[in-house]
Amino acid sequence: MEPEREGTEGHPRKARKRRQAPNKLVGAAEALKAGWDLEESQPEAKKAHLSTILFTDNCEVTHDQLCELLKYAVLGKSNVPKPSWCQLFHQNHLNNVVVFVLQGMSQLHFYRFYLEFGCLRKAFRHKFRLPPPSSDFLADIVGLQTKQTAGDLPKTMKGSLPSPNSKAAINLQNDPIIQKFGSKKVSLTRCLLTKEEMKTFHFPLQGFPDCENFVLTKHNGSVTDNSPLFGLDCKMCLTSKGRELTRVSLVSEGGCCVMDKLVKPENKILDHLSSFSGITKKMLNPVTTKLKDVQRQLRALLPPDAVIVGHSLDLHLRALKMIHPYVIDTSLLYVREQGRRFKLKFLAKFILGKDIQSPDRLGHDATEDARTTLELARYFLKYGPKKIAELNLEALANCQELQAASQEPRNTAEVLQHPNTSILEFLDSMGQKLLFLTWETDAGELPSSRNCQTIKCLSNKEVLEEARVEIPLFPFSIVQFSFKTFSSILTEEMNKRVRIKWTEISTVYAGPFSKNCDLRALKRLFKSFGPVQSMTFVLETHQVQRPVTELTLDCDTLVHELQGDSENQGTLYLSGVSETFKEQLLQEPRLFLGLEAVILPKDLKNGKQEKYCFLKFKSFGSAQRALSILTGKDWKLKGRHALTPRHLHAWLRGLPPESSSPGLRVVPSRLEEEALHTLKVDHPKIAAWRWGQKIVKLYNTLCAGTLCLILLPGTKSTHGSLSGLGLMGIKEEEESTTPGLCS
């Protein structure tokens, strides 16, 4: 046994285990479950996805409800309540959770710059309203109590582990990492072990007597600072001839596993070492791959200038019986005092904020260990020796070793069962961290502690660049962009103009009518198309059209964009439905394949069912077929593809009935006109277009199974409050349902 090296003999834990949510519809759609399982009965690969219908009556999601979803998505434990306002299916197939906060923006910005927000609208199918932000919006959505501060947050080992961020009592010049590498950032080639170091630490080398039958990789001496990194991890068993290879994993620099093979040893196995390797007799019985097979594959996979990264890498190369001269050993890179070595599990937790080699699982995972060593090398290259020394790893390790001998670790179940536990506490109990990227000058912050890795930047551009690198390394990330808010006068003017614009778009002129026409009959006729808010009799009109004003000049473009909104894809609007309409649908399930939900709005005053509804289908094609049936001679309903997303519909219903007079020319406010012609990068009009594109491009690079939320939190000031807006989706789910994303 080599206790200081046992960290490599394991395999990383796979994605956190999450309980699968039951596959059922919500609200009014529950009644349809029995009738429309025909399309869903076909076997499909399980992927995490959100319910199509998020709400039945109210489109506003409170900050507490948002926190419910984030807790459930991140933890996935049976004792974490499911969110009350939406459903997350196959949650155990989620890989990451990412929240983008567009600080300074609100629902008003989204409607005012609806066309500019095109990329975000098309990329995210689910949208919802948010209430105006509290004084601490970020703390609300992660479940932190307002009375808590960073010092109040519970720690896994309370009151004993020194803070990694504390620089007190640390003499950096005496730190072994500083003594070896200096305090400045180092290049990749500087991190490579020299030939003398490889000889000292017993790496296999060409020409040495104990390496005569070892296989050489295709190295050619051309290694540079731009050479590709590969993480390597092997698992061994004990045979009659000593330790022999049973599993090998190779991970590329992007985190992708390019090789993961079980290997049949040549000699009789005496001990599978399952507690470290995770390999059992049953697993190896059908295996036919031999050592020479994986040697051949590795030689083919590794380019001539490849740099192999591993933890106690000499053991792995000897198990492979291979020689490679360009190596980074993380057990030697993160130098420890007196020649000792940090375990991989320890470095993963305190450097990367991730928990690997879980004791409640059989053995370790070679792929996760390989990926972890790669991430440790990248972290060292990015932040440099000084940053590592400031973490005071030696003190942390000493405290951890003392505590391991004196007390039991924190009971994670107790943390999970507490109803007011924040996401930070959940992550802390699991040995993981939240990533928080923000501006250096932002007022809204999260506590910077062991369970929250805060990175402050000088601009939105820097936040975006950091996000590209850091997001894949964390299970949960919050990325906050900041934008300048409008003055109170300009905000009031914009709010007024937006409300008038949407009201004008919802207005139709029709005629001519005689003076003696039946107004009641006329009103019944218009109501057959949907609810009428108000009706004014104008005798001079000789056509059916919308009013033409300065605010409605882009009406056709706006209506076209509304029809293409991803939330409206596959949604029908029907008018003239009766109270028995739902029952009629249930009697004809085969006519409406792909129907996911029926939304039956109610009158806000008397609670009675309205005479219109929305039908949500899986695809545009299914909706088109249903529309031709429902507007045919048998059903005789009026309908079309929906134009109004539900969050917008709820907002418009709350508008006052009065509008500007017909034909009135609304002159733009001089303040707004000047502001909109000032093409500053962070002006909301430009930001909506520019940063919407950039965020969607970043979203498209995230791994499949990433839950992503875009939050425009709203604004609050002494002059009034503006409500917020949320958009969300799961990477891959959106790709399969929404065409034409920005790239």
Side-chain angles (χ1 to χ4, degrees), residues 574-578 581 630-632 635-639:
L574 295 175
S575 177
V577 301
S578 65
F581 176 69
L630 291 166
T631 56
W635 292 78
K636 298 180 180 178
L637 296 173
K638 296 182 177 68

mmCIF file of all heavy atoms in Angstrom, residues 574-578 581 630-632 635-639:
data_model
loop_
_atom_site.group_PDB
_atom_site.id
_atom_site.type_symbol
_atom_site.label_atom_id
_atom_site.label_comp_id
_atom_site.label_asym_id
_atom_site.label_seq_id
_atom_site.Cartn_x
_atom_site.Cartn_y
_atom_site.Cartn_z
ATOM 1 N N LEU A 574 -57.846 29.149 -30.132
ATOM 2 C CA LEU A 574 -59.172 28.807 -30.627
ATOM 3 C C LEU A 574 -60.214 29.663 -29.933
ATOM 4 O O LEU A 574 -60.137 29.899 -28.722
ATOM 5 C CB LEU A 574 -59.485 27.327 -30.367
ATOM 6 C CG LEU A 574 -58.630 26.290 -31.106
ATOM 7 C CD1 LEU A 574 -58.993 24.894 -30.640
ATOM 8 C CD2 LEU A 574 -58.806 26.418 -32.606
ATOM 9 N N SER A 575 -61.187 30.117 -30.699
ATOM 10 C CA SER A 575 -62.268 30.916 -30.144
ATOM 11 C C SER A 575 -63.596 30.226 -30.408
ATOM 12 O O SER A 575 -63.750 29.490 -31.390
ATOM 13 C CB SER A 575 -62.269 32.307 -30.793
ATOM 14 O OG SER A 575 -63.351 33.070 -30.326
ATOM 15 N N GLY A 576 -64.574 30.478 -29.509
ATOM 16 C CA GLY A 576 -65.898 29.878 -29.646
ATOM 17 C C GLY A 576 -66.013 28.515 -28.992
ATOM 18 O O GLY A 576 -66.934 27.746 -29.307
ATOM 19 N N VAL A 577 -65.113 28.201 -28.069
ATOM 20 C CA VAL A 577 -65.163 26.887 -27.415
ATOM 21 C C VAL A 577 -66.232 26.892 -26.322
ATOM 22 O O VAL A 577 -66.488 27.908 -25.678
ATOM 23 C CB VAL A 577 -63.793 26.502 -26.812
ATOM 24 C CG1 VAL A 577 -62.736 26.465 -27.883
ATOM 25 C CG2 VAL A 577 -63.382 27.466 -25.709
ATOM 26 N N SER A 578 -66.839 25.748 -26.124
ATOM 27 C CA SER A 578 -67.884 25.604 -25.110
ATOM 28 C C SER A 578 -67.301 25.043 -23.830
ATOM 29 O O SER A 578 -66.119 24.670 -23.769
ATOM 30 C CB SER A 578 -68.981 24.670 -25.629
ATOM 31 O OG SER A 578 -68.452 23.360 -25.807
ATOM 32 N N PHE A 581 -65.853 21.573 -24.210
ATOM 33 C CA PHE A 581 -64.830 21.414 -25.247
ATOM 34 C C PHE A 581 -63.778 20.388 -24.847
ATOM 35 O O PHE A 581 -63.376 19.542 -25.643
ATOM 36 C CB PHE A 581 -64.176 22.769 -25.532
ATOM 37 C CG PHE A 581 -63.038 22.702 -26.518
ATOM 38 C CD1 PHE A 581 -63.258 22.428 -27.856
ATOM 39 C CD2 PHE A 581 -61.732 22.909 -26.103
ATOM 40 C CE1 PHE A 581 -62.214 22.374 -28.766
ATOM 41 C CE2 PHE A 581 -60.681 22.850 -26.994
ATOM 42 C CZ PHE A 581 -60.931 22.589 -28.333
ATOM 43 N N LEU A 630 -60.046 21.410 -36.497
ATOM 44 C CA LEU A 630 -60.873 22.175 -35.562
ATOM 45 C C LEU A 630 -61.612 23.329 -36.235
ATOM 46 O O LEU A 630 -62.660 23.768 -35.753
ATOM 47 C CB LEU A 630 -59.993 22.715 -34.428
ATOM 48 C CG LEU A 630 -59.450 21.654 -33.466
ATOM 49 C CD1 LEU A 630 -58.336 22.224 -32.600
ATOM 50 C CD2 LEU A 630 -60.564 21.101 -32.590
ATOM 51 N N THR A 631 -61.069 23.850 -37.341
ATOM 52 C CA THR A 631 -61.753 24.929 -38.061
ATOM 53 C C THR A 631 -62.582 24.391 -39.222
ATOM 54 O O THR A 631 -63.137 25.174 -39.998
ATOM 55 C CB THR A 631 -60.733 25.951 -38.592
ATOM 56 O OG1 THR A 631 -59.756 25.271 -39.410
ATOM 57 C CG2 THR A 631 -60.031 26.659 -37.445
ATOM 58 N N GLY A 632 -62.673 23.066 -39.348
ATOM 59 C CA GLY A 632 -63.460 22.433 -40.408
ATOM 60 C C GLY A 632 -64.942 22.384 -40.080
ATOM 61 O O GLY A 632 -65.409 22.891 -39.054
ATOM 62 N N TRP A 635 -66.184 20.788 -36.435
ATOM 63 C CA TRP A 635 -65.972 21.508 -35.177
ATOM 64 C C TRP A 635 -66.409 22.971 -35.267
ATOM 65 O O TRP A 635 -66.867 23.547 -34.286
ATOM 66 C CB TRP A 635 -64.488 21.436 -34.783
ATOM 67 C CG TRP A 635 -64.066 20.049 -34.395
ATOM 68 C CD1 TRP A 635 -63.793 19.017 -35.236
ATOM 69 C CD2 TRP A 635 -63.893 19.545 -33.079
ATOM 70 N NE1 TRP A 635 -63.443 17.889 -34.534
ATOM 71 C CE2 TRP A 635 -63.495 18.187 -33.185
ATOM 72 C CE3 TRP A 635 -64.011 20.090 -31.804
ATOM 73 C CZ2 TRP A 635 -63.233 17.384 -32.089
ATOM 74 C CZ3 TRP A 635 -63.740 19.295 -30.701
ATOM 75 C CH2 TRP A 635 -63.358 17.957 -30.837
ATOM 76 N N LYS A 636 -66.211 23.601 -36.436
ATOM 77 C CA LYS A 636 -66.685 24.962 -36.697
ATOM 78 C C LYS A 636 -66.178 25.990 -35.690
ATOM 79 O O LYS A 636 -66.911 26.854 -35.230
ATOM 80 C CB LYS A 636 -68.217 24.988 -36.739
ATOM 81 C CG LYS A 636 -68.811 24.134 -37.837
ATOM 82 C CD LYS A 636 -70.329 24.197 -37.835
ATOM 83 C CE LYS A 636 -70.903 23.339 -38.951
ATOM 84 N NZ LYS A 636 -72.391 23.344 -38.943
ATOM 85 N N LEU A 637 -64.906 25.883 -35.350
ATOM 86 C CA LEU A 637 -64.301 26.860 -34.447
ATOM 87 C C LEU A 637 -63.465 27.853 -35.243
ATOM 88 O O LEU A 637 -63.024 27.559 -36.356
ATOM 89 C CB LEU A 637 -63.416 26.149 -33.412
ATOM 90 C CG LEU A 637 -64.110 25.200 -32.444
ATOM 91 C CD1 LEU A 637 -63.083 24.449 -31.616
ATOM 92 C CD2 LEU A 637 -65.065 25.959 -31.534
ATOM 93 N N LYS A 638 -63.248 29.008 -34.685
ATOM 94 C CA LYS A 638 -62.333 29.980 -35.279
ATOM 95 C C LYS A 638 -60.987 29.847 -34.570
ATOM 96 O O LYS A 638 -60.936 29.682 -33.360
ATOM 97 C CB LYS A 638 -62.872 31.402 -35.120
ATOM 98 C CG LYS A 638 -64.174 31.677 -35.857
ATOM 99 C CD LYS A 638 -64.586 33.111 -35.676
ATOM 100 C CE LYS A 638 -65.851 33.418 -36.465
ATOM 101 N NZ LYS A 638 -67.039 32.717 -35.917
ATOM 102 N N GLY A 639 -59.901 29.925 -35.332
ATOM 103 C CA GLY A 639 -58.598 29.761 -34.694
ATOM 104 C C GLY A 639 -57.449 30.051 -35.622
ATOM 105 O O GLY A 639 -57.624 30.255 -36.825
#
